[in-house]
């Protein structure tokens, strides 16, 4: 077994350890708010706590970055685990079962392994560099691949929400042009949080857009999409680090990703993009 295979197995273990803290609190949890206004629950905190404890035992020389407890471990560590115990807390708190647990591994800053686990659905998408992308349910497990649709008018495209878009932005903002994307896509749907990128990796949809992302939202998704044959990039043209790029587009083909990415770019003068 390669070192990366061992790390992927550990990532899968971490997701299931987190599940033991998350599922008993699903549908009953109370919500508080962080200083930035985002929601957090006891499930978020306890799940990250047990994942960190397990990592301290299994990989004591690795660094950790998590949504709830920040960064720990050596700054110059070759490996950094990136944890989001409940991705989709807003949905989790009202009983929507589409939330996920994200476990990513960076090697010298590059995402090399990722697990997208859906505790309430009993589904997991996972991948490690050079080992393909896999989809597991309670009944079966098989390799998956992205669907390389190339043109936007033939694609099913999704996004999480309207933030940072021309639908919600104020007059002093230059937001991403989501309206154009809605009009031009073959089919457009709202699909929440990490599950939309898992669907790209599985070839069920063709592109997914998140205009506002933190590193723990991204790190686990990228290896899954890329190992499935898809592509992943930040939205901003000048953002070259996918994990810390602040946004994310995934797609089944490079040409589709570029079309979606270019179409969404803000227009400083408010003019329509050419059709």
């Amino acid at each position: 077994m390669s070192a990366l295979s061992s790390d992927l197995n550990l990532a899968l273990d971490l997701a299931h350890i987190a599940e033991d803290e998350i599922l008993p609190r699903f549908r009953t949890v109370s919500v508080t708010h962080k200083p930035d206004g985002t929601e957090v629950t006891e499930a978020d905190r306890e799940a990250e706590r047990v994942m960190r404890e397990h990592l301290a035992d299994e990989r004591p020389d690795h660094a950790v970055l998590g949504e709830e407890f920040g960064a720990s471990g050596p700054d110059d560590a070759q490996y950094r685990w990136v944890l989001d115990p409940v991705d989709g807390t807003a949905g989790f708190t009202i009983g929507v079962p589409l939330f996920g647990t994200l476990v990513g591994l960076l090697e010298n800053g590059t995402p090399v392994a990722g697990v997208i686990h859906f505790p309430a659905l009993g589904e997991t998408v996972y991948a490690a560099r050079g080992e393909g992308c896999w989809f597991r349910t309670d009944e079966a497990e098989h390799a998956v691949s992205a669907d390389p649709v190339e043109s936007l008018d033939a694609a099913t495209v999704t996004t999480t929400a309207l933030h940072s878009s021309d639908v919600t932005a104020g007059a002093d903002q230059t937001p991403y042009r989501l309206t154009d994307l809605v009009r031009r896509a073959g089919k457009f749907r709202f699909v929440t949080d990490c599950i939309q990128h898992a669907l790209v990796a599985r070839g069920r949809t063709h592109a997914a857009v998140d205009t506002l992302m933190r590193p723990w939202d991204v790190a686990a998704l990228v290896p899954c999409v890329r190992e499935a044959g898809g592509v992943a990039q930040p939205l901003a043209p000048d953002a070259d680090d996918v994990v810390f790029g602040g946004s994310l587009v995934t797609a089944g083909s490079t040409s589709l990703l570029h079309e979606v990415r270019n179409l969404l770019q803000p227009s400083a003068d408010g003019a329509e993009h050419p059709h």
Side-chain angles (χ1 to χ4, degrees), residues 36-121:
D36 65 1
T38 58
E39 294 178 326
V40 64
T41 72
E42 185 182 37
D44 297 84
R45 295 193 181 99
E46 288 304 300
E48 186 170 320
R49 180 185 62 78
V50 295
M51 285 195 284
R52 284 176 175 270
E53 288 179 353
H54 195 65
L55 280 170
D57 291 337
E58 296 293 328
R59 300 290 190 274
D61 56 335
H62 289 189
V64 180
L65 174 63
E67 178 171 14
E68 305 310 327
F69 300 114
S72 62
D75 291 338
D76 60 350
Q78 180 180 2
Y79 293 100
R80 182 180 301 274
W81 294 86
V82 187
L83 311 175
D84 189 351
V86 181
D87 183 71
T89 299
F92 174 78
T93 61
I94 59 173
V96 176
L98 304 180
F99 61 90
T101 297
L102 301 179
V103 181
L105 178 63
L106 309 182
E107 181 181 12
N108 297 318
T110 299
V112 294
V115 169
I116 313 167
H117 179 56
F118 302 100
L121 303 180

Side-chain angles (χ1 to χ4, degrees), residues 152-178:
L152 182 58
D153 59 5
T156 296
V157 182
T158 66
T159 195
T160 294
L162 298 173
H163 45 59
S164 304
S165 77
D166 53 350
V167 180
T168 59
D172 59 341
Q173 297 174 301
T174 52
Y176 293 112
R177 302 181 65 83
L178 189 63

Side-chain angles (χ1 to χ4, degrees), residues 11-21 101 117 124 136:
L12 289 163
D13 289 342
L14 290 169
H16 287 285
I17 288 169
E19 178 180 313
D20 291 340
E21 298 294 332
T101 297
H117 179 56
T124 311
R136 175 188 294 173

Side-chain angles (χ1 to χ4, degrees), residues 113-145:
V115 169
I116 313 167
H117 179 56
F118 302 100
L121 303 180
E123 297 180 358
T124 311
V125 176
Y126 61 97
R129 184 176 56 196
E131 298 183 19
C133 182
W134 297 79
F135 177 56
R136 175 188 294 173
T137 67
D138 294 336
E139 293 80 32
E141 180 177 35
H142 60 272
V144 292
S145 58

Side-chain angles (χ1 to χ4, degrees), residues 130-271:
E131 298 183 19
C133 182
W134 297 79
F135 177 56
R136 175 188 294 173
T137 67
D138 294 336
E139 293 80 32
E141 180 177 35
H142 60 272
V144 292
S145 58
D147 185 352
V149 167
E150 295 192 355
S151 66
L152 182 58
D153 59 5
T156 296
V157 182
T158 66
T159 195
T160 294
L162 298 173
H163 45 59
S164 304
S165 77
D166 53 350
V167 180
T168 59
D172 59 341
Q173 297 174 301
T174 52
Y176 293 112
R177 302 181 65 83
L178 189 63
T179 303
D180 282 355
L181 184 63
V182 172
R183 291 170 176 161
R184 299 277 296 278
K187 184 184 293 184
F188 186 87
R189 294 289 184 271
F190 287 97
V191 178
T192 185
D193 302 297
C194 60
I195 198 167
Q196 65 164 343
H197 301 283
L199 290 170
V200 171
R202 291 175 52 203
R204 308 302 296 175
T205 59
H206 306 119
V209 176
D210 264 305
T211 59
L212 189 63
M213 295 283 265
R214 304 298 296 272
W216 42 81
D217 300 317
V218 178
L221 308 178
V222 174
C224 294
V225 172
R226 289 179 174 171
E227 284 296 311
V231 286
Q233 288 185 1
L235 265 170
D238 57 350
D240 55 0
D241 187 317
V242 67
V243 175
F244 291 85
S247 58
L248 184 67
V249 182
T250 59
S253 71
T254 300
S255 60
L256 178 59
L257 183 139
H258 286 163
E259 189 173 359
V260 169
R261 197 172 182 237
N262 292 338
L263 185 63
L264 282 164
Q265 296 308 314
S267 176
D269 59 5

